[in-house]
Amino acid sequence: MTIKIAITNQKGGVGKTTTAVNLAAALSKAKRKVLLIDIDAQSNATSAAGISKNDCESLYEHFELKDKIDKYILDASGGYKIIPANPNLVATEKIIENTKEREKFFSKNLKLAKDYDYILVDCPPSLNLLTINAMEYCGSVLVPVQCEYYALEGLVTLKSTIEQLNDSRGLKIEIAAILRTMADWRNRLTREVSGQLEKHFKSKVLNTIIPRNVRLAEAPSYGQSIVDYDIKSIGGEAFLSLSGEFIRRFEHAKKKSA
Ligand SMILES: Nc1ncnc2c1ncn2[C@@H]1O[C@H](COP(=O)(O)OP(=O)(O)OP(=O)(O)O)[C@@H](O)[C@H]1O
Ligand SMILES: [Mg+2]
Protein backbone atom coordinates (compact mmCIF):
# COMPACT_ATOMS: atom_id res chain seq x y z
CA MET A 1 0.00 0.00 0.00
CA THR A 2 1.21 3.48 -0.85
CA ILE A 3 1.61 6.06 1.91
CA LYS A 4 0.11 9.28 0.54
CA ILE A 5 0.73 12.62 2.17
CA ALA A 6 -0.25 16.16 1.19
CA ILE A 7 2.21 18.79 2.42
CA THR A 8 -0.05 21.69 3.30
CA ASN A 9 -0.11 24.99 5.12
CA GLN A 10 -2.17 27.93 3.87
CA LYS A 11 0.55 30.21 5.18
CA GLY A 12 3.21 31.06 2.61
CA GLY A 13 6.95 30.50 2.99
CA VAL A 14 6.84 28.05 5.90
CA GLY A 15 8.98 25.38 4.22
CA LYS A 16 6.41 23.21 2.39
CA THR A 17 8.45 22.91 -0.79
CA THR A 18 11.76 22.55 1.04
CA THR A 19 10.19 19.69 3.01
CA ALA A 20 8.63 18.08 -0.07
CA VAL A 21 11.75 17.93 -2.24
CA ASN A 22 14.22 17.02 0.50
CA LEU A 23 11.99 14.44 2.17
CA ALA A 24 11.36 12.88 -1.28
CA ALA A 25 15.12 12.71 -1.89
CA ALA A 26 15.93 11.36 1.59
CA LEU A 27 13.26 8.64 1.30
CA SER A 28 14.65 7.72 -2.14
CA LYS A 29 18.09 7.43 -0.61
CA ALA A 30 16.54 4.97 1.87
CA LYS A 31 15.52 2.92 -1.22
CA ARG A 32 11.85 3.91 -1.14
CA LYS A 33 10.02 4.46 -4.41
CA VAL A 34 8.75 8.03 -4.21
CA LEU A 35 6.52 10.16 -6.42
CA LEU A 36 6.26 13.89 -5.74
CA ILE A 37 3.38 15.82 -7.29
CA ASP A 38 3.80 19.56 -7.60
CA ILE A 39 0.38 21.27 -7.63
CA ASP A 40 1.64 24.81 -7.01
CA ALA A 41 1.70 26.99 -10.13
CA GLN A 42 4.74 28.76 -8.65
CA SER A 43 6.49 25.46 -9.58
CA ASN A 44 9.19 25.76 -6.92
CA ALA A 45 9.39 22.01 -6.27
CA THR A 46 9.68 21.47 -10.02
CA SER A 47 12.68 23.78 -10.36
CA ALA A 48 14.23 22.38 -7.17
CA ALA A 49 13.99 18.98 -8.88
CA GLY A 50 16.06 20.33 -11.78
CA ILE A 51 13.16 20.76 -14.23
CA SER A 52 12.21 23.95 -16.06
CA LYS A 53 8.60 24.98 -15.39
CA ASN A 54 8.39 26.55 -18.86
CA ASP A 55 9.45 23.36 -20.51
CA CYS A 56 7.22 20.71 -18.95
CA GLU A 57 3.63 19.59 -18.76
CA SER A 58 1.66 19.40 -15.54
CA LEU A 59 -1.51 17.86 -14.14
CA TYR A 60 -3.40 20.62 -15.97
CA GLU A 61 -2.50 19.18 -19.38
CA HIS A 62 -3.23 15.67 -18.12
CA PHE A 63 -6.73 16.57 -16.94
CA GLU A 64 -7.40 18.70 -20.01
CA LEU A 65 -6.31 16.05 -22.53
CA LYS A 66 -7.51 13.07 -20.43
CA ASP A 67 -4.49 11.07 -21.61
CA LYS A 68 -2.23 8.55 -19.86
CA ILE A 69 -0.47 9.86 -16.75
CA ASP A 70 2.82 8.05 -17.50
CA LYS A 71 4.15 10.68 -19.88
CA TYR A 72 3.88 13.34 -17.17
CA ILE A 73 6.02 11.44 -14.68
CA LEU A 74 9.63 12.63 -14.92
CA ASP A 75 12.90 11.82 -13.14
CA ALA A 76 13.82 14.38 -10.49
CA SER A 77 17.46 15.10 -9.71
CA GLY A 78 16.99 13.70 -6.18
CA GLY A 79 16.35 10.13 -7.41
CA TYR A 80 12.57 10.29 -7.06
CA LYS A 81 9.84 10.73 -9.70
CA ILE A 82 7.92 13.96 -10.12
CA ILE A 83 4.79 15.21 -11.84
CA PRO A 84 5.91 18.79 -12.41
CA ALA A 85 3.96 22.00 -12.18
CA ASN A 86 3.78 24.82 -14.70
CA PRO A 87 1.92 28.15 -14.74
CA ASN A 88 -1.09 26.55 -16.54
CA LEU A 89 -2.00 24.75 -13.32
CA VAL A 90 -4.00 27.82 -12.27
CA ALA A 91 -6.59 26.86 -14.89
CA THR A 92 -7.06 23.38 -13.39
CA GLU A 93 -9.50 24.84 -10.87
CA LYS A 94 -11.79 25.76 -13.78
CA ILE A 95 -11.81 22.14 -14.98
CA ILE A 96 -12.57 20.85 -11.48
CA GLU A 97 -15.18 23.49 -10.60
CA ASN A 98 -17.64 22.20 -13.16
CA THR A 99 -17.60 18.61 -12.01
CA LYS A 100 -19.77 16.72 -9.52
CA GLU A 101 -18.18 16.05 -6.11
CA ARG A 102 -15.42 18.45 -6.97
CA GLU A 103 -13.43 17.69 -3.78
CA LYS A 104 -12.97 14.15 -5.10
CA PHE A 105 -11.78 15.02 -8.61
CA PHE A 106 -8.23 13.76 -7.99
CA SER A 107 -9.46 10.52 -6.42
CA LYS A 108 -11.62 9.86 -9.46
CA ASN A 109 -9.25 11.04 -12.18
CA LEU A 110 -5.69 10.49 -11.01
CA LYS A 111 -4.83 6.90 -11.80
CA LEU A 112 -1.30 6.26 -10.57
CA ALA A 113 0.64 3.00 -10.37
CA LYS A 114 0.19 1.24 -7.06
CA ASP A 115 3.84 0.37 -6.51
CA TYR A 116 5.02 3.68 -5.06
CA ASP A 117 6.01 3.49 -1.41
CA TYR A 118 5.23 7.19 -1.00
CA ILE A 119 3.25 9.79 -2.92
CA LEU A 120 3.93 13.31 -1.61
CA VAL A 121 2.06 16.37 -2.84
CA ASP A 122 3.55 19.87 -2.56
CA CYS A 123 0.58 22.23 -2.14
CA PRO A 124 0.33 25.98 -2.79
CA PRO A 125 -0.06 28.44 0.11
CA SER A 126 -3.86 28.48 -0.06
CA LEU A 127 -6.71 26.10 0.66
CA ASN A 128 -7.92 26.20 -2.94
CA LEU A 129 -9.66 23.39 -4.80
CA LEU A 130 -6.36 21.80 -5.81
CA THR A 131 -5.17 21.70 -2.20
CA ILE A 132 -8.49 20.29 -1.00
CA ASN A 133 -8.31 17.64 -3.71
CA ALA A 134 -4.76 16.76 -2.74
CA MET A 135 -5.76 16.44 0.93
CA GLU A 136 -8.78 14.29 0.04
CA TYR A 137 -6.75 12.13 -2.37
CA CYS A 138 -4.02 11.52 0.23
CA GLY A 139 -6.21 11.39 3.33
CA SER A 140 -3.19 12.46 5.39
CA VAL A 141 -1.68 15.90 5.76
CA LEU A 142 1.81 16.90 6.88
CA VAL A 143 1.89 20.50 8.08
CA PRO A 144 5.25 22.28 8.10
CA VAL A 145 5.16 25.04 10.67
CA GLN A 146 7.64 27.83 11.17
CA CYS A 147 8.02 28.47 14.90
CA GLU A 148 6.80 32.07 14.75
CA TYR A 149 4.23 34.19 16.50
CA TYR A 150 1.14 33.32 14.42
CA ALA A 151 2.06 29.67 13.80
CA LEU A 152 -0.31 28.18 16.34
CA GLU A 153 -3.23 30.33 15.18
CA GLY A 154 -2.66 29.26 11.56
CA LEU A 155 -2.56 25.63 12.58
CA VAL A 156 -5.79 25.89 14.59
CA THR A 157 -7.48 27.51 11.55
CA LEU A 158 -6.24 24.74 9.26
CA LYS A 159 -7.45 22.08 11.69
CA SER A 160 -10.95 23.57 11.93
CA THR A 161 -11.16 24.06 8.14
CA ILE A 162 -10.34 20.38 7.69
CA GLU A 163 -12.91 19.39 10.30
CA GLN A 164 -15.56 21.51 8.56
CA LEU A 165 -14.70 19.95 5.19
CA ASN A 166 -14.90 16.47 6.68
CA ASP A 167 -18.30 17.19 8.23
CA SER A 168 -19.93 19.07 5.38
CA ARG A 169 -18.52 17.06 2.46
CA GLY A 170 -18.16 13.65 4.02
CA LEU A 171 -14.36 13.60 3.66
CA LYS A 172 -11.81 11.78 5.82
CA ILE A 173 -8.82 14.10 5.94
CA GLU A 174 -6.49 13.80 8.91
CA ILE A 175 -3.60 15.95 10.08
CA ALA A 176 -1.05 13.14 10.33
CA ALA A 177 1.98 15.12 11.45
CA ILE A 178 3.32 18.57 12.20
CA LEU A 179 6.90 19.44 11.29
CA ARG A 180 8.76 22.31 12.90
CA THR A 181 10.82 24.11 10.26
CA MET A 182 13.44 26.87 10.10
CA ALA A 183 14.07 26.47 13.82
CA ASP A 184 16.67 28.65 15.47
CA TRP A 185 17.14 27.64 19.11
CA ARG A 186 18.91 30.90 19.96
CA ASN A 187 15.57 32.55 19.27
CA ARG A 188 13.23 32.64 22.28
CA LEU A 189 10.17 32.52 20.03
CA THR A 190 11.32 29.24 18.45
CA ARG A 191 11.55 27.65 21.90
CA GLU A 192 8.22 29.08 23.07
CA VAL A 193 6.19 28.22 19.97
CA SER A 194 7.80 24.80 19.74
CA GLY A 195 6.68 24.09 23.33
CA GLN A 196 3.14 25.33 22.60
CA LEU A 197 2.89 23.06 19.57
CA GLU A 198 3.91 20.05 21.66
CA LYS A 199 1.39 20.99 24.34
CA HIS A 200 -1.55 21.37 21.93
CA PHE A 201 -0.79 18.77 19.29
CA LYS A 202 1.17 16.21 21.36
CA SER A 203 2.24 13.13 19.41
CA LYS A 204 1.28 14.72 16.07
CA VAL A 205 4.41 16.87 16.41
CA LEU A 206 7.35 15.08 14.82
CA ASN A 207 10.50 14.69 16.90
CA THR A 208 12.68 15.77 14.02
CA ILE A 209 13.07 19.53 13.79
CA ILE A 210 14.37 21.18 10.63
CA PRO A 211 16.89 23.87 11.59
CA ARG A 212 17.38 27.12 9.76
CA ASN A 213 20.32 26.30 7.50
CA VAL A 214 21.58 28.30 4.55
CA ARG A 215 22.54 25.11 2.65
CA LEU A 216 18.81 24.22 2.47
CA ALA A 217 18.09 27.61 0.92
CA GLU A 218 20.98 27.30 -1.55
CA ALA A 219 20.32 23.77 -2.84
CA PRO A 220 17.29 24.59 -5.10
CA SER A 221 19.27 27.17 -7.07
CA TYR A 222 21.46 24.27 -8.22
CA GLY A 223 18.38 22.15 -9.01
CA GLN A 224 19.50 19.75 -6.29
CA SER A 225 18.15 18.30 -3.08
CA ILE A 226 20.12 18.71 0.13
CA VAL A 227 20.96 14.99 -0.09
CA ASP A 228 23.06 15.67 -3.20
CA TYR A 229 24.06 19.24 -2.46
CA ASP A 230 25.40 18.86 1.08
CA ILE A 231 24.28 15.79 2.97
CA LYS A 232 26.64 16.53 5.86
CA SER A 233 25.15 19.96 6.58
CA ILE A 234 22.82 20.25 9.58
CA GLY A 235 19.95 20.60 7.09
CA GLY A 236 21.03 17.41 5.29
CA GLU A 237 21.26 15.49 8.54
CA ALA A 238 17.83 16.75 9.60
CA PHE A 239 16.20 15.45 6.42
CA LEU A 240 17.88 12.05 6.76
CA SER A 241 16.56 11.92 10.30
CA LEU A 242 13.10 13.01 9.08
CA SER A 243 12.99 10.20 6.52
CA GLY A 244 13.92 7.73 9.28
CA GLU A 245 11.13 9.05 11.49
CA PHE A 246 8.68 8.80 8.58
CA ILE A 247 9.63 5.20 7.94
CA ARG A 248 9.23 4.28 11.60
CA ARG A 249 6.00 6.21 12.05
CA PHE A 250 4.12 5.53 8.82
CA GLU A 251 5.45 2.19 7.59
CA HIS A 252 5.13 0.57 11.00
CA ALA A 253 1.61 1.95 11.42
CA LYS A 254 0.78 0.53 7.99
CA LYS A 255 2.11 -2.92 8.96
CA LYS A 256 0.09 -2.87 12.19
CA SER A 257 -3.13 -2.00 10.36
CA ALA A 258 -2.51 -4.59 7.58
N1 LIG B 1 15.29 25.25 7.04
C1 LIG B 1 15.52 26.29 6.25
N2 LIG B 1 16.64 27.03 6.42
C2 LIG B 1 16.87 28.12 5.64
N3 LIG B 1 16.05 28.52 4.66
C3 LIG B 1 14.93 27.82 4.44
C4 LIG B 1 14.61 26.67 5.22
N4 LIG B 1 13.43 26.17 4.78
C5 LIG B 1 13.04 26.96 3.77
N5 LIG B 1 13.92 27.96 3.56
C6 LIG B 1 13.83 29.05 2.58
O1 LIG B 1 12.65 29.81 2.90
C7 LIG B 1 11.93 30.14 1.72
C8 LIG B 1 10.53 29.54 1.80
O2 LIG B 1 10.64 28.11 1.83
P1 LIG B 1 9.69 27.19 0.95
O3 LIG B 1 9.68 27.65 -0.47
O4 LIG B 1 10.07 25.79 1.21
O5 LIG B 1 8.30 27.51 1.64
P2 LIG B 1 6.84 27.21 1.07
O6 LIG B 1 5.98 27.01 2.26
O7 LIG B 1 6.88 26.12 0.07
O8 LIG B 1 6.50 28.58 0.35
P3 LIG B 1 5.17 28.86 -0.55
O9 LIG B 1 4.07 29.00 0.44
O10 LIG B 1 5.47 30.12 -1.29
O11 LIG B 1 4.98 27.67 -1.44
C9 LIG B 1 12.75 29.61 0.57
O12 LIG B 1 13.56 30.63 0.08
C10 LIG B 1 13.58 28.49 1.18
O13 LIG B 1 14.80 28.28 0.50
MG1 LIG C 1 6.10 26.08 -1.90
Side-chain angles (χ1 to χ4, degrees), residues 186-247:
R186 290 166 306 180
N187 186 331
R188 181 181 55 84
L189 212 48
T190 291
R191 299 194 299 271
E192 260 179 39
V193 175
S194 177
Q196 285 173 357
L197 288 171
E198 283 173 355
K199 194 169 151 219
H200 282 82
F201 292 93
K202 302 195 169 67
S203 62
K204 297 266 185 215
V205 183
L206 293 167
N207 294 323
T208 307
I209 298 174
I210 308 299
R212 188 170 279 285
N213 176 221
V214 69
R215 306 300 268 172
L216 286 170
E218 288 167 1
S221 59
Y222 296 93
Q224 284 185 341
S225 79
I226 195 68
V227 175
D228 294 314
Y229 181 64
D230 191 353
I231 199 167
K232 292 211 155 69
S233 61
I234 55 164
E237 281 173 4
F239 274 100
L240 290 186
S241 148
L242 180 64
S243 74
E245 188 172 358
F246 251 67
I247 288 168

Side-chain angles (χ1 to χ4, degrees), residues 7-11 16 38-42 122-128 130-131:
I7 302 174
T8 309
N9 190 331
Q10 74 278 23
K11 195 166 187 311
K16 293 181 287 295
D38 187 356
I39 60 159
D40 183 356
Q42 295 182 92
D122 184 29
C123 296
S126 82
L127 288 171
N128 64 17
L130 284 179
T131 303

